[in-house]
Amino acid sequence: MIIAFIKLRFMQILRTANGIGLLRFIFLLGLIAFIAFGIFMLTAEVLKSFYVSAICIFIITLIQIKRSDAQFLKINFIHFKLIYLTEYLLLMMPLFFCLCFHKQWTSIVSVVASTLLIINIDYSTKRKSLNTFIQRVIPLDCFEWKGGVRSTLVLIIIVWTIGLVTSFFVASVPVALFILGILPLNFNEKNEPLPMILSYERGTNSFLLHKIKLQIVLYTILCIPLIASFIFFFSDLWYIPLIEFFILTTTHIYIILTKYAFYKPNSKSNGSQTFGVIGAMGIIIPIFIPLVWVLSIRFYFKARKNLNFYLNDYH
């Protein structure tokens, strides 16, 4: 059964690849090859191999937390955790190859041990939908944040509190900003129904700028206390959280533009998800940031063209 399920996964990947188009598929292959080459070079050094392994483990943890098929697997498969483990180990095969080639045995053991712990995370099936004061003060226009905060509020509060309370450690605030910067990216994962866009009664440019402004304002409110606390303790390193905040903010803008460049009502766009990976990689690997900025300009015009079809009455 496990082998059959893994085969099904490969078939899903092939169908997704067919759906993104030839040019995007070639671009994605090039991106994967570039990332693989980067991993190979970085894992040559012991310290950098730990950093790369930690990033991969973090990504696997996010996948585990966000799994939408967790309940299905628990009901239909006795050894569902073995399925998790098999999938994650297959995903990390390029990493294992690089680590083995450079004989980074400690990193390999750490990754495997961490993966064995990750498959026991059951956050996705136990989390509850919350409706608190925090959601009520979020503007009605920010329905993505209302929905996203409803499912991630506990995690946001934990990360934000730990980051603020331990801000006298130099790494605490940057790590907290990093996590808080990644979580909102998923808020724009699914395209809203058309009536929700029409309810703004705005033209294309006004609509896009309004969505970007709301995203920046809410994320800024979340980050200001952390940034201020870091600067208070480490005034000579004031530029670190500001640069990180700038990179994360531009990535949020990129995700919004990508979403509406491929917008179709009530759906998840393969194109948006594919190019969204580049935005996420830009946060993890800074070399992708210039590419994110260039693509943001391209997707701004593509989003305008796409939304003109739906918002033509408000021009």
Side-chain angles (χ1 to χ4, degrees):
M1 289 295 290
I2 294 177
I3 295 176
F5 187 82
I6 298 301
K7 288 182 178 178
L8 178 61
R9 284 293 192 214
F10 278 113
M11 292 175 62
Q12 290 175 333
I13 293 173
L14 290 176
R15 283 199 296 267
T16 301
N18 289 330
I20 65 176
L22 179 60
L23 290 178
R24 292 175 195 159
F25 179 71
I26 294 173
F27 177 83
L28 187 60
L29 279 181
L31 178 63
I32 293 173
F34 181 79
I35 294 172
F37 177 75
I39 291 174
F40 181 80
M41 298 299 294
L42 290 172
T43 51
E45 299 180 26
V46 176
L47 183 59
K48 290 181 180 179
S49 72
F50 278 115
Y51 289 149
V52 173
S53 299
I55 291 173
C56 291
I57 287 300
F58 177 74
I59 293 173
I60 294 298
T61 303
L62 289 180
I63 294 174
Q64 175 69 11
I65 291 174
K66 283 180 57 61
R67 290 191 74 113
S68 59
D69 61 350
Q71 193 64 28
F72 169 81
L73 293 176
K74 289 181 67 175
I75 293 173
N76 293 279
F77 295 92
I78 298 176
H79 303 293
F80 63 94
K81 290 183 181 180
L82 186 57
I83 294 177
Y84 294 161
L85 181 62
T86 305
E87 286 184 338
Y88 298 153
L89 293 180
L90 286 174
L91 282 174
M92 291 190 290
M93 284 303 294
L95 174 64
F96 289 136
F97 172 80
C98 295
L99 292 175
C100 287
F101 184 87
H102 296 298
K103 299 180 180 179
Q104 305 290 3
W105 310 121
T106 304
S107 294
I108 293 176
V109 173
S110 299
V111 170
V112 173
S114 299
T115 306
L116 289 172
L117 294 175
I118 290 170
I119 63 174
N120 291 287
I121 297 176
D122 199 19
Y123 176 81
S124 59
T125 57
K126 291 182 179 179
R127 62 185 178 182
K128 296 180 180 180
S129 180
L130 302 175
N131 186 19
T132 66
F133 168 78
I134 294 177
Q135 286 114 291
R136 291 194 289 272
V137 299
I138 295 175
L140 295 176
D141 288 357
C142 305
F143 53 84
E144 297 96 343
W145 276 75
K146 282 182 175 290
V149 169
R150 185 175 294 115
S151 59
T152 59
L153 180 60
V154 175
L155 182 58
I156 290 174
I157 291 176
I158 292 174
V159 172
W160 190 90
T161 303
I162 293 176
L164 188 65
V165 172
T166 63
S167 57
F168 49 85
F169 291 113
V170 68
S172 293
V173 168
V175 170
L177 289 176
F178 174 78
I179 297 174
L180 294 174
I182 286 182
L183 290 176
L185 298 181
N186 296 319
F187 296 174
N188 293 279
E189 188 176 25
K190 185 175 181 180
N191 294 328
E192 61 270 29
L194 180 58
M196 298 186 75
I197 287 183
L198 298 177
S199 66
Y200 287 90
E201 297 184 355
R202 293 173 178 266
T204 301
N205 288 335
S206 177
F207 174 80
L208 286 173
L209 293 176
H210 183 64
K211 300 294 286 189
I212 290 172
K213 182 187 73 174
L214 291 175
Q215 183 80 12
I216 293 175
V217 168
L218 289 176
Y219 183 60
T220 301
I221 292 172
L222 187 64
C223 293
I224 280 179
L226 293 171
I227 295 174
S229 181
F230 181 91
I231 294 175
F232 176 80
F233 287 107
F234 307 100
S235 57
D236 56 325
L237 300 175
W238 59 270
Y239 55 88
I240 292 178
L242 293 181
I243 292 175
E244 185 178 11
F245 173 77
F246 175 74
I247 291 174
L248 290 166
T249 301
T250 56
T251 304
H252 287 184
I253 295 173
Y254 167 81
I255 292 297
I256 291 175
L257 295 175
T258 303
K259 172 186 176 180
Y260 290 109
F262 299 94
Y263 172 81
K264 289 183 180 179
N266 288 318
S267 67
K268 289 185 179 181
S269 169
N270 289 331
S272 177
Q273 291 179 321
T274 300
F275 285 103
V277 172
I278 299 175
M281 292 304 299
I283 299 176
I284 299 172
I285 306 175
I287 195 174
F288 285 99
I289 288 299
L291 178 61
V292 169
W293 293 339
V294 171
L295 288 176
S296 295
I297 298 173
R298 178 179 182 273
F299 287 139
Y300 171 73
F301 291 103
K302 185 175 176 62
R304 284 181 54 188
K305 182 178 179 181
N306 187 36
L307 290 175
N308 280 338
F309 176 78
Y310 301 103
L311 302 176
N312 185 59
D313 291 343
Y314 300 105
H315 285 199

